[in-house]
Amino acid sequence: MRERPPIAQPFPGRQSAAPFLFPAVGILLLFTVFPFLFTLTLTLSRVSLVGGLRLDFGGLTNWIRLATDDRFWNSLSNTVLIVAAAVTLELLLGLALALLMNRPLRGGGIFRTVFILPMTLAPIAIGYTWRMMYHETIGPLNALLDMAGLPSVAWTSDRHLAIFSIILTDVWHWTPFMFIVLLAALQALPGEVIEAAQLDGTSGWQLFRHIIFPMLVPTAVAVTLLRTLEAFKIVDEIFIITGGGPGVSTESLTLHAYYTGFLSFDLAYGATIALALFLLVLASALALVRVTRRYQAAELWS
Amino acid sequence: MARRFRLIGILVGLALCVALLPVGAAGQGKPFSGATLTVFTQNPPYIAKPVQMFAPAWQERTGGKINLVTAPFGELYSKLMSSFALGTAAYDIALFASAWMGDFAGNRYLLDLTDRIKADAGLNWGDILPTYQQTVNWGGMLYALPIDGDVHTVFYRRDALENPKHKARFKTKYGYDLRPPATWKEYRDIAEFFNGWEWAGDGKKRFGVLEAFRRGGQAFWFFMSHAAAYVSVPGQKGNMFFDPQTMKPQINNPGFVKALEDWVALVKLGPPGMINFDSGDVRSQFAAGVAALALDWGDTGIVGGTDPKSIVRGKIGTIVLPGSPQVYDYKTGKWATLDKPNVAPYLAFGGWVCGVMVTTKNPSAAYDFCRTIAEPKNSYTAVTTAETGLNPFRASHFADTSGWKKFGFVEPDLGSYLGAIKASLAHPNAQLDLKLPGQARYLDALETQLARAAAGEITPKAALDRAAAEWEKITDGQGRDRMIALYRAWLGLPAK
C-alpha cells in the first residue's frame, strides 16, 4: 500500500504567510487607514491653499466650531429623525410584507419581483423620480389629490412637511431590502417547531410573538443595523429632491459636510463634520448591538 | 545572393519612405502635433458644447488632440480646487466661472496670459466689452480669456403687460399704469397682479414671477440683483460686499435687509414650489408661459425666444433690472432719495472664461485652443447657437443680427433682448460680481441664510446678521489685511 503524502500546511510559519497577507493589508492601509488618519489630521488643522495644499496645526478649533454651529445641530437632528423614522417604518413594512408573502399565494413570484424593484434603482434616479412625483403643479401625487377633490400638498416646499417627503422616499427605496432579507429568514425557520406550536393550538399572534419573532430577532437586528448605518449617510435623494431646503429643513449631516467641504472648500471643517458623523454611526451601531444582546439574554432567561 | 538581398533591402527602404511620406507631410505646418490637451468644464450641453463644436477643426489645423473631461456644475469648483491643491496637473485648460478668479489666479494656479493676449491681433481684444475684460484681470494681469457674457435682466410677457384689459384692471387696483417695471416695487406689484388667475386666455392658471430660490441653484445671484439698486450709490465704490477700509460686511445693512424683504415676499407670487426652483426651472417655466415676469441671465430669453416648443416666442420683452427711488449710503449710514430710480445692473456670475493651468506642458497649444473659442467669428457662432450656454460679450456680437435671426429670434423680441443686455453692460452703475479668494465660501454662507429667510425659518434681518457674522469669520480665516489689499485692488482703489 502506498503511503499517502503528508497534507501540506498552508502557512507553516509566519514568514511564509506575510507575502500573501501583504496585498490585503496594503489595500486596507491605503484605502481605509490612510484616509481615516488624513481626515483626523484635517480636523486638527488650519488649511491653506495658496500655491498648493498646506496644513498647519489648528488644535481643537474645528471641534469647538462644530459644538457651536447651529447648522450642525440642525443637520444632526434632521439626520436622526430621518434614520429613526425611516428605518422603523422600513422594518415594520418589510416584516409585514414578508409575513404576507411567506405563504402560498397565486402570482407570489411576480409580487416578490415587483416589491424588490425600488431597491435595484440608483439613488440619483430615485431622487429625480420623486422630485417629479412631488412637483406641485405637474407632479402625479397632486394630480391624484386633485382628481379626488382634495387640495394640493406642498410636498417639498413646506419646511415642516419636506422632511417627511424625504422619509417617504427613503421608505419606498429601502423597504424592499428589509422585505427580502426577512422573507429569506422566515423561509429558513425550522418548520417542525412552528407545526408543533400549531398542533398545540397556538393562536396566530401567539405563534408570531413567542415563536417566530424571537427566531427572527438576529436577522432583524442585522438588517436594522445595516440600514441604520446606511441611512445615517443619506445624501443623494435629499440633494436632488430639496437640496437640503426649504431653508435647511432637510439638510442631513452628509449633505452639510458635502456643502462645507466641496462647495465652500472648507476642507478642515468639512472633515470635522464627516468625522463627527462617523463617531455617531459607530456609537449607534454599538448601542444597537448592546441592546440586542440584552434582549437576547432576557429572552433566554424568560 | 547577397546582391539580391541588398536590392530587396533598398526596395523595402524606398517603399517605407514612400509610405511614410504622407505622415511627414501631414505633420508639417501643424504647430502642435502630438500635443494632447485635457479640457475640463461642465457636463454637456451647456459650456461643453463650444469645446465639442470647435475641437475637430482645431485638431485638424494644429495636429493637437483635445480630451474633454466634464462634471456637473456643483462639482466644477471642488474638482478644480482639488486638482490645484494636490498638484495633480489633471487638466491643461479649464472653462470656469470668472467669479472663481480670486481663488484660482490669487493662489497662482493659472498661467498669466497677458503677453500672449497683447500680441494676439486676431483675438481683437478691444472688441471684448470692457466689463468682461475686467473679469479676467487679477492684479493687473490677464489670467484667462472671456468666452461668455453674463448679466441679469428681467423678462416679461408683452402679451400680458400690453393687454388693454389687464392695463385697465391694473390701474384701478394700483393707481398707476401697467408697464415694464421701472422699480422693484412696480416689479412686485406686477407679480402680485398676475399671480394665481387665468390671464393668458387659455383657461390655465398663471403666475406672477419666476426666480431661483433653491440653495445651490444660483439664489445668491438672484438676491444680489435685487440688492444692487438699493445699495449702489452711483460713483461710490465698496457698496456691494465689504467696506474697503475694514472688510466689514455690507450685507446686513438696511439696503440689503430691504432687498431681502422684497425678495422673500416674491416666493408667494410665483408657481407653487418656486422655493425649490433653480435657474433651469426659471427658463423652462417661462418658455412654458407660466408667469408674466422672470429674472434670469440671457438664457431665459434664448430658450423662450428661440425654442420651437416655447409658447412665448415673439411675445418677450427684456429690460434692464428695475431700480429703487432710494439708495442706502453705507458711508453716511442713511437712505438717500434720488430724482429718478437708482438702477444698478448686476453682472451676476460674471461669465465663463477659459484659463490655462500653470502646470500644463503645452502652454502655447492651450492658449491657442482658448483663443479659438474666444476669437470674434467663433464666439459669434457660439453665442448664436442653441445650448452652448454662452451669451454675448463682444461689441460685434450686438452689431450683427443675422446670426441671431438664424438662431430663431424674431423681432421685436431680438431688439429688446440685445438692447437690454447692451444697456446693462454699458450702464455706469453696473456692479461686478464678487471676485475674491474664498468666494465660494462667502457665497455658500450667504445662500444658506437666504434660504432660511425664504423658507420663513428666520427673519430677513436675522438671516443677514448671521451671514455677516459668517463672512467676518471667513475673512479672518483668509487673513483680513490680505483680503483688504485684494478687495481694494479689485475695486481699483489705492492700497491702504
Side-chain angles (χ1 to χ4, degrees), chain B residues 367-398:
Chain B
Y367 171 79
D368 194 75
F369 187 69
C370 279
R371 59 97 56 211
T372 298
I373 302 174
E375 57 104 348
K377 187 167 168 284
N378 284 344
S379 65
Y380 185 71
T381 305
V383 298
T384 56
T385 299
E387 294 183 328
T388 57
L390 303 186
N391 294 314
F393 64 96
R394 288 176 171 273
S396 56
H397 293 164
F398 296 91

PDB file of all heavy atoms in Angstrom, chain B residues 367-398:
ATOM      1  N   TYR B 367      -3.249  77.897 -24.897  1.00  0.00           N
ATOM      2  CA  TYR B 367      -3.718  79.263 -25.176  1.00  0.00           C
ATOM      3  C   TYR B 367      -4.411  79.294 -26.535  1.00  0.00           C
ATOM      4  O   TYR B 367      -5.467  79.916 -26.703  1.00  0.00           O
ATOM      5  CB  TYR B 367      -2.546  80.245 -25.156  1.00  0.00           C
ATOM      6  CG  TYR B 367      -2.975  81.617 -25.648  1.00  0.00           C
ATOM      7  CD1 TYR B 367      -3.672  82.479 -24.800  1.00  0.00           C
ATOM      8  CD2 TYR B 367      -2.730  82.027 -26.964  1.00  0.00           C
ATOM      9  CE1 TYR B 367      -4.113  83.707 -25.247  1.00  0.00           C
ATOM     10  CE2 TYR B 367      -3.180  83.255 -27.421  1.00  0.00           C
ATOM     11  CZ  TYR B 367      -3.864  84.087 -26.567  1.00  0.00           C
ATOM     12  OH  TYR B 367      -4.328  85.303 -27.010  1.00  0.00           O
ATOM     13  N   ASP B 368      -3.827  78.604 -27.500  1.00  0.00           N
ATOM     14  CA  ASP B 368      -4.386  78.624 -28.852  1.00  0.00           C
ATOM     15  C   ASP B 368      -5.808  78.050 -28.869  1.00  0.00           C
ATOM     16  O   ASP B 368      -6.674  78.546 -29.588  1.00  0.00           O
ATOM     17  CB  ASP B 368      -3.484  77.824 -29.797  1.00  0.00           C
ATOM     18  CG  ASP B 368      -3.820  78.105 -31.248  1.00  0.00           C
ATOM     19  OD1 ASP B 368      -3.450  79.186 -31.727  1.00  0.00           O
ATOM     20  OD2 ASP B 368      -4.498  77.268 -31.880  1.00  0.00           O
ATOM     21  N   PHE B 369      -6.047  77.016 -28.063  1.00  0.00           N
ATOM     22  CA  PHE B 369      -7.400  76.461 -28.050  1.00  0.00           C
ATOM     23  C   PHE B 369      -8.385  77.432 -27.383  1.00  0.00           C
ATOM     24  O   PHE B 369      -9.508  77.615 -27.861  1.00  0.00           O
ATOM     25  CB  PHE B 369      -7.446  75.097 -27.355  1.00  0.00           C
ATOM     26  CG  PHE B 369      -8.799  74.459 -27.482  1.00  0.00           C
ATOM     27  CD1 PHE B 369      -9.251  74.004 -28.714  1.00  0.00           C
ATOM     28  CD2 PHE B 369      -9.651  74.377 -26.395  1.00  0.00           C
ATOM     29  CE1 PHE B 369     -10.525  73.463 -28.862  1.00  0.00           C
ATOM     30  CE2 PHE B 369     -10.922  73.832 -26.531  1.00  0.00           C
ATOM     31  CZ  PHE B 369     -11.358  73.377 -27.768  1.00  0.00           C
ATOM     32  N   CYS B 370      -7.939  78.079 -26.304  1.00  0.00           N
ATOM     33  CA  CYS B 370      -8.814  79.063 -25.643  1.00  0.00           C
ATOM     34  C   CYS B 370      -9.166  80.210 -26.595  1.00  0.00           C
ATOM     35  O   CYS B 370     -10.316  80.625 -26.681  1.00  0.00           O
ATOM     36  CB  CYS B 370      -8.127  79.639 -24.397  1.00  0.00           C
ATOM     37  SG  CYS B 370      -8.252  78.578 -22.957  1.00  0.00           S
ATOM     38  N   ARG B 371      -8.167  80.698 -27.291  1.00  0.00           N
ATOM     39  CA  ARG B 371      -8.430  81.839 -28.185  1.00  0.00           C
ATOM     40  C   ARG B 371      -9.284  81.410 -29.392  1.00  0.00           C
ATOM     41  O   ARG B 371      -9.977  82.208 -29.995  1.00  0.00           O
ATOM     42  CB  ARG B 371      -7.139  82.554 -28.615  1.00  0.00           C
ATOM     43  CG  ARG B 371      -6.112  81.749 -29.332  1.00  0.00           C
ATOM     44  CD  ARG B 371      -6.132  81.861 -30.818  1.00  0.00           C
ATOM     45  NE  ARG B 371      -6.006  83.237 -31.261  1.00  0.00           N
ATOM     46  CZ  ARG B 371      -6.559  83.681 -32.383  1.00  0.00           C
ATOM     47  NH1 ARG B 371      -7.239  82.842 -33.161  1.00  0.00           N
ATOM     48  NH2 ARG B 371      -6.403  84.936 -32.763  1.00  0.00           N
ATOM     49  N   THR B 372      -9.262  80.118 -29.706  1.00  0.00           N
ATOM     50  CA  THR B 372     -10.131  79.612 -30.776  1.00  0.00           C
ATOM     51  C   THR B 372     -11.604  79.784 -30.387  1.00  0.00           C
ATOM     52  O   THR B 372     -12.449  80.114 -31.216  1.00  0.00           O
ATOM     53  CB  THR B 372      -9.814  78.122 -31.060  1.00  0.00           C
ATOM     54  OG1 THR B 372      -8.470  78.040 -31.506  1.00  0.00           O
ATOM     55  CG2 THR B 372     -10.744  77.528 -32.094  1.00  0.00           C
ATOM     56  N   ILE B 373     -11.906  79.563 -29.106  1.00  0.00           N
ATOM     57  CA  ILE B 373     -13.296  79.731 -28.647  1.00  0.00           C
ATOM     58  C   ILE B 373     -13.634  81.216 -28.517  1.00  0.00           C
ATOM     59  O   ILE B 373     -14.756  81.640 -28.786  1.00  0.00           O
ATOM     60  CB  ILE B 373     -13.507  79.022 -27.280  1.00  0.00           C
ATOM     61  CG1 ILE B 373     -13.168  77.538 -27.381  1.00  0.00           C
ATOM     62  CG2 ILE B 373     -14.942  79.189 -26.796  1.00  0.00           C
ATOM     63  CD1 ILE B 373     -13.199  76.795 -26.055  1.00  0.00           C
ATOM     64  N   ALA B 374     -12.622  82.014 -28.116  1.00  0.00           N
ATOM     65  CA  ALA B 374     -12.885  83.427 -27.794  1.00  0.00           C
ATOM     66  C   ALA B 374     -12.829  84.359 -28.995  1.00  0.00           C
ATOM     67  O   ALA B 374     -13.340  85.478 -28.936  1.00  0.00           O
ATOM     68  CB  ALA B 374     -11.873  83.897 -26.739  1.00  0.00           C
ATOM     69  N   GLU B 375     -12.211  83.939 -30.088  1.00  0.00           N
ATOM     70  CA  GLU B 375     -11.989  84.883 -31.205  1.00  0.00           C
ATOM     71  C   GLU B 375     -13.346  85.295 -31.835  1.00  0.00           C
ATOM     72  O   GLU B 375     -14.349  84.596 -31.668  1.00  0.00           O
ATOM     73  CB  GLU B 375     -11.011  84.275 -32.226  1.00  0.00           C
ATOM     74  CG  GLU B 375     -11.433  82.956 -32.806  1.00  0.00           C
ATOM     75  CD  GLU B 375     -11.957  83.106 -34.222  1.00  0.00           C
ATOM     76  OE1 GLU B 375     -12.204  84.241 -34.649  1.00  0.00           O
ATOM     77  OE2 GLU B 375     -12.153  82.076 -34.884  1.00  0.00           O
ATOM     78  N   PRO B 376     -13.358  86.441 -32.531  1.00  0.00           N
ATOM     79  CA  PRO B 376     -14.637  87.039 -32.928  1.00  0.00           C
ATOM     80  C   PRO B 376     -15.588  86.108 -33.687  1.00  0.00           C
ATOM     81  O   PRO B 376     -16.753  85.989 -33.327  1.00  0.00           O
ATOM     82  CB  PRO B 376     -14.212  88.220 -33.802  1.00  0.00           C
ATOM     83  CG  PRO B 376     -12.855  88.579 -33.311  1.00  0.00           C
ATOM     84  CD  PRO B 376     -12.209  87.293 -32.899  1.00  0.00           C
ATOM     85  N   LYS B 377     -15.097  85.436 -34.724  1.00  0.00           N
ATOM     86  CA  LYS B 377     -16.012  84.662 -35.580  1.00  0.00           C
ATOM     87  C   LYS B 377     -16.600  83.468 -34.820  1.00  0.00           C
ATOM     88  O   LYS B 377     -17.814  83.260 -34.808  1.00  0.00           O
ATOM     89  CB  LYS B 377     -15.250  84.183 -36.820  1.00  0.00           C
ATOM     90  CG  LYS B 377     -16.107  83.513 -37.864  1.00  0.00           C
ATOM     91  CD  LYS B 377     -15.328  83.377 -39.172  1.00  0.00           C
ATOM     92  CE  LYS B 377     -16.019  82.474 -40.164  1.00  0.00           C
ATOM     93  NZ  LYS B 377     -15.890  81.064 -39.869  1.00  0.00           N
ATOM     94  N   ASN B 378     -15.715  82.693 -34.190  1.00  0.00           N
ATOM     95  CA  ASN B 378     -16.208  81.511 -33.476  1.00  0.00           C
ATOM     96  C   ASN B 378     -17.104  81.889 -32.290  1.00  0.00           C
ATOM     97  O   ASN B 378     -18.096  81.216 -32.021  1.00  0.00           O
ATOM     98  CB  ASN B 378     -15.036  80.666 -32.973  1.00  0.00           C
ATOM     99  CG  ASN B 378     -14.381  79.870 -34.085  1.00  0.00           C
ATOM    100  OD1 ASN B 378     -14.960  79.719 -35.156  1.00  0.00           O
ATOM    101  ND2 ASN B 378     -13.186  79.381 -33.844  1.00  0.00           N
ATOM    102  N   SER B 379     -16.740  82.944 -31.593  1.00  0.00           N
ATOM    103  CA  SER B 379     -17.554  83.309 -30.425  1.00  0.00           C
ATOM    104  C   SER B 379     -18.941  83.771 -30.861  1.00  0.00           C
ATOM    105  O   SER B 379     -19.933  83.518 -30.174  1.00  0.00           O
ATOM    106  CB  SER B 379     -16.858  84.382 -29.587  1.00  0.00           C
ATOM    107  OG  SER B 379     -16.736  85.583 -30.306  1.00  0.00           O
ATOM    108  N   TYR B 380     -19.021  84.424 -32.027  1.00  0.00           N
ATOM    109  CA  TYR B 380     -20.340  84.830 -32.539  1.00  0.00           C
ATOM    110  C   TYR B 380     -21.175  83.587 -32.855  1.00  0.00           C
ATOM    111  O   TYR B 380     -22.362  83.519 -32.532  1.00  0.00           O
ATOM    112  CB  TYR B 380     -20.173  85.699 -33.789  1.00  0.00           C
ATOM    113  CG  TYR B 380     -21.489  86.263 -34.305  1.00  0.00           C
ATOM    114  CD1 TYR B 380     -22.154  87.262 -33.596  1.00  0.00           C
ATOM    115  CD2 TYR B 380     -22.070  85.783 -35.477  1.00  0.00           C
ATOM    116  CE1 TYR B 380     -23.369  87.770 -34.050  1.00  0.00           C
ATOM    117  CE2 TYR B 380     -23.281  86.287 -35.941  1.00  0.00           C
ATOM    118  CZ  TYR B 380     -23.921  87.277 -35.238  1.00  0.00           C
ATOM    119  OH  TYR B 380     -25.139  87.785 -35.672  1.00  0.00           O
ATOM    120  N   THR B 381     -20.509  82.599 -33.465  1.00  0.00           N
ATOM    121  CA  THR B 381     -21.215  81.334 -33.741  1.00  0.00           C
ATOM    122  C   THR B 381     -21.690  80.711 -32.435  1.00  0.00           C
ATOM    123  O   THR B 381     -22.826  80.223 -32.340  1.00  0.00           O
ATOM    124  CB  THR B 381     -20.265  80.340 -34.459  1.00  0.00           C
ATOM    125  OG1 THR B 381     -19.754  80.979 -35.621  1.00  0.00           O
ATOM    126  CG2 THR B 381     -20.971  79.066 -34.838  1.00  0.00           C
ATOM    127  N   ALA B 382     -20.846  80.741 -31.423  1.00  0.00           N
ATOM    128  CA  ALA B 382     -21.197  80.099 -30.146  1.00  0.00           C
ATOM    129  C   ALA B 382     -22.369  80.797 -29.464  1.00  0.00           C
ATOM    130  O   ALA B 382     -23.279  80.134 -28.960  1.00  0.00           O
ATOM    131  CB  ALA B 382     -19.981  80.083 -29.224  1.00  0.00           C
ATOM    132  N   VAL B 383     -22.354  82.132 -29.448  1.00  0.00           N
ATOM    133  CA  VAL B 383     -23.436  82.823 -28.713  1.00  0.00           C
ATOM    134  C   VAL B 383     -24.756  82.790 -29.484  1.00  0.00           C
ATOM    135  O   VAL B 383     -25.811  83.061 -28.903  1.00  0.00           O
ATOM    136  CB  VAL B 383     -23.068  84.286 -28.343  1.00  0.00           C
ATOM    137  CG1 VAL B 383     -21.865  84.332 -27.435  1.00  0.00           C
ATOM    138  CG2 VAL B 383     -22.874  85.168 -29.572  1.00  0.00           C
ATOM    139  N   THR B 384     -24.693  82.444 -30.762  1.00  0.00           N
ATOM    140  CA  THR B 384     -25.935  82.364 -31.533  1.00  0.00           C
ATOM    141  C   THR B 384     -26.279  80.909 -31.892  1.00  0.00           C
ATOM    142  O   THR B 384     -26.922  80.644 -32.899  1.00  0.00           O
ATOM    143  CB  THR B 384     -25.840  83.212 -32.833  1.00  0.00           C
ATOM    144  OG1 THR B 384     -24.703  82.773 -33.572  1.00  0.00           O
ATOM    145  CG2 THR B 384     -25.732  84.678 -32.544  1.00  0.00           C
ATOM    146  N   THR B 385     -25.797  79.992 -31.069  1.00  0.00           N
ATOM    147  CA  THR B 385     -26.121  78.571 -31.253  1.00  0.00           C
ATOM    148  C   THR B 385     -26.800  78.066 -29.988  1.00  0.00           C
ATOM    149  O   THR B 385     -26.380  78.407 -28.879  1.00  0.00           O
ATOM    150  CB  THR B 385     -24.835  77.749 -31.523  1.00  0.00           C
ATOM    151  OG1 THR B 385     -24.239  78.237 -32.725  1.00  0.00           O
ATOM    152  CG2 THR B 385     -25.132  76.270 -31.677  1.00  0.00           C
ATOM    153  N   ALA B 386     -27.819  77.234 -30.182  1.00  0.00           N
ATOM    154  CA  ALA B 386     -28.571  76.722 -29.032  1.00  0.00           C
ATOM    155  C   ALA B 386     -27.692  75.848 -28.135  1.00  0.00           C
ATOM    156  O   ALA B 386     -26.797  75.159 -28.620  1.00  0.00           O
ATOM    157  CB  ALA B 386     -29.759  75.907 -29.527  1.00  0.00           C
ATOM    158  N   GLU B 387     -27.932  75.927 -26.858  1.00  0.00           N
ATOM    159  CA  GLU B 387     -27.354  75.051 -25.827  1.00  0.00           C
ATOM    160  C   GLU B 387     -25.845  75.174 -25.649  1.00  0.00           C
ATOM    161  O   GLU B 387     -25.210  74.279 -25.095  1.00  0.00           O
ATOM    162  CB  GLU B 387     -27.703  73.580 -26.102  1.00  0.00           C
ATOM    163  CG  GLU B 387     -29.198  73.308 -25.980  1.00  0.00           C
ATOM    164  CD  GLU B 387     -29.532  71.845 -26.168  1.00  0.00           C
ATOM    165  OE1 GLU B 387     -28.839  71.164 -26.939  1.00  0.00           O
ATOM    166  OE2 GLU B 387     -30.508  71.407 -25.543  1.00  0.00           O
ATOM    167  N   THR B 388     -25.254  76.292 -26.101  1.00  0.00           N
ATOM    168  CA  THR B 388     -23.839  76.487 -25.782  1.00  0.00           C
ATOM    169  C   THR B 388     -23.710  77.061 -24.373  1.00  0.00           C
ATOM    170  O   THR B 388     -22.675  76.919 -23.728  1.00  0.00           O
ATOM    171  CB  THR B 388     -23.156  77.466 -26.752  1.00  0.00           C
ATOM    172  OG1 THR B 388     -23.855  78.715 -26.715  1.00  0.00           O
ATOM    173  CG2 THR B 388     -23.127  76.932 -28.160  1.00  0.00           C
ATOM    174  N   GLY B 389     -24.755  77.753 -23.910  1.00  0.00           N
ATOM    175  CA  GLY B 389     -24.704  78.387 -22.586  1.00  0.00           C
ATOM    176  C   GLY B 389     -23.921  79.689 -22.604  1.00  0.00           C
ATOM    177  O   GLY B 389     -23.684  80.280 -21.563  1.00  0.00           O
ATOM    178  N   LEU B 390     -23.491  80.135 -23.787  1.00  0.00           N
ATOM    179  CA  LEU B 390     -22.702  81.361 -23.874  1.00  0.00           C
ATOM    180  C   LEU B 390     -23.566  82.521 -24.365  1.00  0.00           C
ATOM    181  O   LEU B 390     -24.371  82.357 -25.275  1.00  0.00           O
ATOM    182  CB  LEU B 390     -21.511  81.155 -24.812  1.00  0.00           C
ATOM    183  CG  LEU B 390     -20.557  80.005 -24.442  1.00  0.00           C
ATOM    184  CD1 LEU B 390     -19.337  79.996 -25.356  1.00  0.00           C
ATOM    185  CD2 LEU B 390     -20.110  80.101 -22.989  1.00  0.00           C
ATOM    186  N   ASN B 391     -23.359  83.670 -23.749  1.00  0.00           N
ATOM    187  CA  ASN B 391     -24.109  84.880 -24.087  1.00  0.00           C
ATOM    188  C   ASN B 391     -23.154  85.950 -24.612  1.00  0.00           C
ATOM    189  O   ASN B 391     -21.940  85.865 -24.384  1.00  0.00           O
ATOM    190  CB  ASN B 391     -24.861  85.379 -22.846  1.00  0.00           C
ATOM    191  CG  ASN B 391     -25.947  84.417 -22.413  1.00  0.00           C
ATOM    192  OD1 ASN B 391     -26.717  83.934 -23.229  1.00  0.00           O
ATOM    193  ND2 ASN B 391     -26.003  84.106 -21.133  1.00  0.00           N
ATOM    194  N   PRO B 392     -23.689  86.960 -25.317  1.00  0.00           N
ATOM    195  CA  PRO B 392     -22.796  87.923 -25.985  1.00  0.00           C
ATOM    196  C   PRO B 392     -21.863  88.664 -25.021  1.00  0.00           C
ATOM    197  O   PRO B 392     -22.272  89.063 -23.945  1.00  0.00           O
ATOM    198  CB  PRO B 392     -23.769  88.897 -26.660  1.00  0.00           C
ATOM    199  CG  PRO B 392     -25.093  88.677 -26.017  1.00  0.00           C
ATOM    200  CD  PRO B 392     -25.105  87.267 -25.549  1.00  0.00           C
ATOM    201  N   PHE B 393     -20.601  88.838 -25.468  1.00  0.00           N
ATOM    202  CA  PHE B 393     -19.618  89.542 -24.629  1.00  0.00           C
ATOM    203  C   PHE B 393     -18.703  90.453 -25.446  1.00  0.00           C
ATOM    204  O   PHE B 393     -17.805  91.072 -24.902  1.00  0.00           O
ATOM    205  CB  PHE B 393     -18.784  88.536 -23.832  1.00  0.00           C
ATOM    206  CG  PHE B 393     -17.929  87.624 -24.683  1.00  0.00           C
ATOM    207  CD1 PHE B 393     -16.602  87.915 -24.927  1.00  0.00           C
ATOM    208  CD2 PHE B 393     -18.465  86.470 -25.245  1.00  0.00           C
ATOM    209  CE1 PHE B 393     -15.805  87.085 -25.706  1.00  0.00           C
ATOM    210  CE2 PHE B 393     -17.684  85.626 -26.027  1.00  0.00           C
ATOM    211  CZ  PHE B 393     -16.354  85.930 -26.260  1.00  0.00           C
ATOM    212  N   ARG B 394     -18.925  90.508 -26.772  1.00  0.00           N
ATOM    213  CA  ARG B 394     -18.150  91.389 -27.644  1.00  0.00           C
ATOM    214  C   ARG B 394     -19.081  92.427 -28.256  1.00  0.00           C
ATOM    215  O   ARG B 394     -20.271  92.135 -28.482  1.00  0.00           O
ATOM    216  CB  ARG B 394     -17.505  90.588 -28.786  1.00  0.00           C
ATOM    217  CG  ARG B 394     -16.356  89.702 -28.391  1.00  0.00           C
ATOM    218  CD  ARG B 394     -15.877  88.901 -29.586  1.00  0.00           C
ATOM    219  NE  ARG B 394     -14.648  88.196 -29.305  1.00  0.00           N
ATOM    220  CZ  ARG B 394     -13.425  88.714 -29.463  1.00  0.00           C
ATOM    221  NH1 ARG B 394     -13.292  89.945 -29.942  1.00  0.00           N
ATOM    222  NH2 ARG B 394     -12.358  88.002 -29.186  1.00  0.00           N
ATOM    223  N   ALA B 395     -18.549  93.591 -28.590  1.00  0.00           N
ATOM    224  CA  ALA B 395     -19.362  94.628 -29.239  1.00  0.00           C
ATOM    225  C   ALA B 395     -19.922  94.089 -30.554  1.00  0.00           C
ATOM    226  O   ALA B 395     -21.080  94.353 -30.908  1.00  0.00           O
ATOM    227  CB  ALA B 395     -18.512  95.868 -29.476  1.00  0.00           C
ATOM    228  N   SER B 396     -19.107  93.287 -31.266  1.00  0.00           N
ATOM    229  CA  SER B 396     -19.545  92.783 -32.563  1.00  0.00           C
ATOM    230  C   SER B 396     -20.722  91.804 -32.443  1.00  0.00           C
ATOM    231  O   SER B 396     -21.465  91.618 -33.399  1.00  0.00           O
ATOM    232  CB  SER B 396     -18.369  92.099 -33.283  1.00  0.00           C
ATOM    233  OG  SER B 396     -17.833  91.075 -32.472  1.00  0.00           O
ATOM    234  N   HIS B 397     -20.871  91.196 -31.280  1.00  0.00           N
ATOM    235  CA  HIS B 397     -21.996  90.263 -31.095  1.00  0.00           C
ATOM    236  C   HIS B 397     -23.346  90.987 -31.161  1.00  0.00           C
ATOM    237  O   HIS B 397     -24.372  90.376 -31.453  1.00  0.00           O
ATOM    238  CB  HIS B 397     -21.888  89.546 -29.736  1.00  0.00           C
ATOM    239  CG  HIS B 397     -20.723  88.608 -29.645  1.00  0.00           C
ATOM    240  ND1 HIS B 397     -20.259  88.117 -28.456  1.00  0.00           N
ATOM    241  CD2 HIS B 397     -19.922  88.085 -30.604  1.00  0.00           C
ATOM    242  CE1 HIS B 397     -19.222  87.324 -28.680  1.00  0.00           C
ATOM    243  NE2 HIS B 397     -18.989  87.295 -29.979  1.00  0.00           N
ATOM    244  N   PHE B 398     -23.334  92.260 -30.812  1.00  0.00           N
ATOM    245  CA  PHE B 398     -24.582  93.041 -30.813  1.00  0.00           C
ATOM    246  C   PHE B 398     -24.811  93.714 -32.168  1.00  0.00           C
ATOM    247  O   PHE B 398     -25.934  94.060 -32.512  1.00  0.00           O
ATOM    248  CB  PHE B 398     -24.536  94.117 -29.720  1.00  0.00           C
ATOM    249  CG  PHE B 398     -24.458  93.553 -28.330  1.00  0.00           C
ATOM    250  CD1 PHE B 398     -23.237  93.321 -27.722  1.00  0.00           C
ATOM    251  CD2 PHE B 398     -25.613  93.241 -27.626  1.00  0.00           C
ATOM    252  CE1 PHE B 398     -23.165  92.788 -26.437  1.00  0.00           C
ATOM    253  CE2 PHE B 398     -25.551  92.712 -26.345  1.00  0.00           C
ATOM    254  CZ  PHE B 398     -24.320  92.486 -25.758  1.00  0.00           C
TER     255      PHE B 398
END
